[in-house]
């Protein structure tokens, strides 16, 4: 199954990816990252379709999409 | 399972100083991808502006120079004329390009300099703390007009792309947005065409990118997207204003 990985050192918690995801797979973590933001995370396994919309809108190159 | 997304090689692999949600970082990535795809990294020169993108030269792994406020097109003119083989682009915000740098951009466009200009329009001064810019919308609050821009006192916003498209020399002028994934993909096509024009020695190319500034608009990034779509896009319609290039690459 496709999946995404979020680099917590880069993610600034802007939530743009949660809006861009057509399947609403992404939500924000409830714990701080080392950089002081709530980073994004893949909420559900087997949800991601590997469309890379989140990567396209991510301002911080924090998301890597695997397929 | 293999990664299908890759960080552009022409960007330095460090985190940027931009605020969460800022459109600058998206445009940096698009430019990086375009430089990679065209294979022009070792002859590209970025002219960084004064403004939020003042450190842009740190993020691009190519030659760079940081110019005085608004003087990007003048510096780019000098570099391009001295080294015609180089690919020179000036990266500017709306406070930089549309106010203090208005003379430079108009005359660089009127001379038809064979450079590329990327213009980030977020309708406010970012780095200096949210003052009114020439592109601030009517009624939009800023620190220097807390009740919103009043046309009787401050006039109306300037549509730079429409204005430059009245000149004869520019070859390619387009306005794009980075508010959604489809628009980001369109923005990349526009930026690629603007660089391809320079590779093909076509002429002056100008891409205006509508971007959000959540910090100075005082809203969350996802709400800023709604402001961009509902308020900015009617004032600054997307589209191609001029396209007289010889190539159709990237379109």
């Amino acid at each position: 199954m496709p999946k995404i990985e979020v680099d917590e050192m880069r993610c600034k918690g802007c939530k743009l990816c949660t809006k861009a995801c057509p399947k609403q797979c992404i939500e924000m973590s409830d714990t701080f990252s080392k950089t002081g933001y709530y980073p994004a995370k893949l909420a559900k396994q087997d949800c991601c379709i590997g469309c890379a919309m989140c990567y396209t809108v991510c301002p911080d190159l924090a998301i890597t999409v695997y397929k | 399972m293999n990664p299908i997304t890759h960080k552009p090689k022409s960007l330095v692999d460090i985190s940027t100083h931009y605020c969460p949600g800022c459109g600058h970082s998206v445009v940096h990535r698009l430019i990086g991808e375009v430089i990679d795809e065209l294979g022009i990294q070792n002859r590209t020169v970025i002219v960084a502006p004064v403004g939020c993108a003042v450190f842009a030269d740190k993020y691009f792994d190519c030659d760079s120079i940081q110019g005085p406020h608004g003087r990007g097109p003048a510096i780019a003119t000098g570099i391009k004329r001295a080294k015609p083989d180089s690919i020179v682009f000036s990266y500017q915000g709306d406070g930089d390009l549309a106010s203090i740098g208005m003379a430079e951009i108009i005359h660089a466009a009127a001379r038809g300099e064979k450079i590329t200009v990327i213009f980030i329009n977020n309708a406010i001064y970012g780095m200096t703390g949210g003052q009114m810019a020439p592109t601030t919308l009517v009624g939009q609050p800023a620190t220097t007009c807390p009740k919103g821009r009043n046309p009787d006192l401050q006039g109306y916003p300037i549509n730079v792309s429409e204005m430059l498209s009245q000149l004869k020399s520019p070859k390619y002028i387009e306005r794009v947005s980075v508010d959604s994934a489809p628009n980001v993909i369109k923005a990349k096509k526009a930026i690629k065409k603007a660089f391809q024009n320079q590779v093909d020695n076509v002429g002056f190319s100008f891409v205006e990118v509508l971007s959000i500034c959540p910090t100075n608009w005082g809203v969350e990034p996802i709400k800023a997207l709604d402001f961009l779509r509902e308020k900015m896009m009617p004032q600054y319609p997307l589209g191609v204003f001029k396209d007289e290039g010889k190539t159709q690459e990237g379109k």
Side-chain angles (χ1 to χ4, degrees), chain A residues 1-3 9-10 12 14-16 19 37 50 52-53 55-61 63-67, chain B residues 1-7 11 13-14 16 18 20-22 25-26 29 33 180-181 184 220-222 225:
Chain A
M1 286 296 288
K3 65 166 185 173
M9 295 303 286
R10 277 179 173 259
K12 293 175 184 163
C14 68
K15 302 183 189 171
L16 295 187
K19 275 279 187 184
Y37 296 106
M53 291 278 187
Y55 170 83
T56 307
V57 299
C58 177
D60 295 297
L61 278 167
I63 298 175
T64 309
V65 184
Y66 293 87
K67 201 170 184 179
Chain B
M1 203 179 286
N2 297 317
I4 59 168
T5 56
H6 304 278
K7 295 184 174 79
L11 287 188
D13 191 14
I14 53 172
T16 63
Y18 298 117
C22 181
S25 331
V26 179
R29 194 192 77 228
E33 289 175 357
S180 63
V184 171
E220 282 185 51
I222 45 178
L225 293 178

Side-chain angles (χ1 to χ4, degrees), chain A residues 12-60:
Chain A
K12 293 175 184 163
C14 68
K15 302 183 189 171
L16 295 187
C17 51
T18 62
K19 275 279 187 184
C21 179
K23 306 283 275 181
Q24 281 84 45
C25 301
I26 305 174
E27 64 181 35
M28 307 313 288
S29 172
D30 50 9
T31 52
F32 279 125
S33 66
K34 281 183 184 171
T35 48
Y37 296 106
Y38 291 111
K41 65 173 184 184
L42 188 60
K44 293 168 270 185
Q45 297 299 325
D46 303 341
C47 172
C48 180
I49 54 172
C51 66
M53 291 278 187
C54 49
Y55 170 83
T56 307
V57 299
C58 177
D60 295 297

Side-chain angles (χ1 to χ4, degrees), chain B residues 90-138:
Chain B
S90 175
Y91 183 102
Q92 297 179 269
D94 50 353
D96 189 64
L97 182 140
S99 59
I100 193 167
M102 189 58 104
E104 271 71 17
I105 187 64
I106 286 187
H107 287 284
R111 292 193 306 269
E113 299 295 344
K114 294 183 174 61
I115 58 172
T116 301
V117 178
I118 308 292
F119 169 43
I120 309 296
N121 180 358
N122 55 16
I124 206 157
Y125 272 83
M127 183 186 71
T128 49
Q131 290 84 359
M132 186 183 69
T135 46
T136 297
L137 307 175
V138 171

Side-chain angles (χ1 to χ4, degrees), chain B residues 179-244:
Chain B
D179 66 302
S180 63
N183 277 342
V184 171
I185 293 165
K186 286 180 195 165
K188 185 181 168 186
K189 283 184 180 172
I191 291 170
K192 187 166 185 184
K193 186 168 172 66
F195 277 83
Q196 184 71 45
N197 277 352
Q198 196 177 159
V199 172
D200 296 343
N201 216 21
V202 170
F204 185 83
S205 301
F206 182 89
V207 179
E208 175 175 349
V209 186
L210 299 186
S211 166
I212 59 173
C213 182
T215 302
N216 287 305
W217 292 357
V219 291
E220 282 185 51
I222 45 178
K223 288 183 182 157
L225 293 178
D226 295 335
F227 179 86
L228 190 151
R229 289 179 197 132
E230 290 163 15
K231 301 282 169 58
M232 274 184 82
M233 281 191 189
Q235 171 68 35
Y236 301 112
L238 307 184
V240 180
F241 294 93
K242 204 162 189 191
D243 185 4
E244 297 173 359

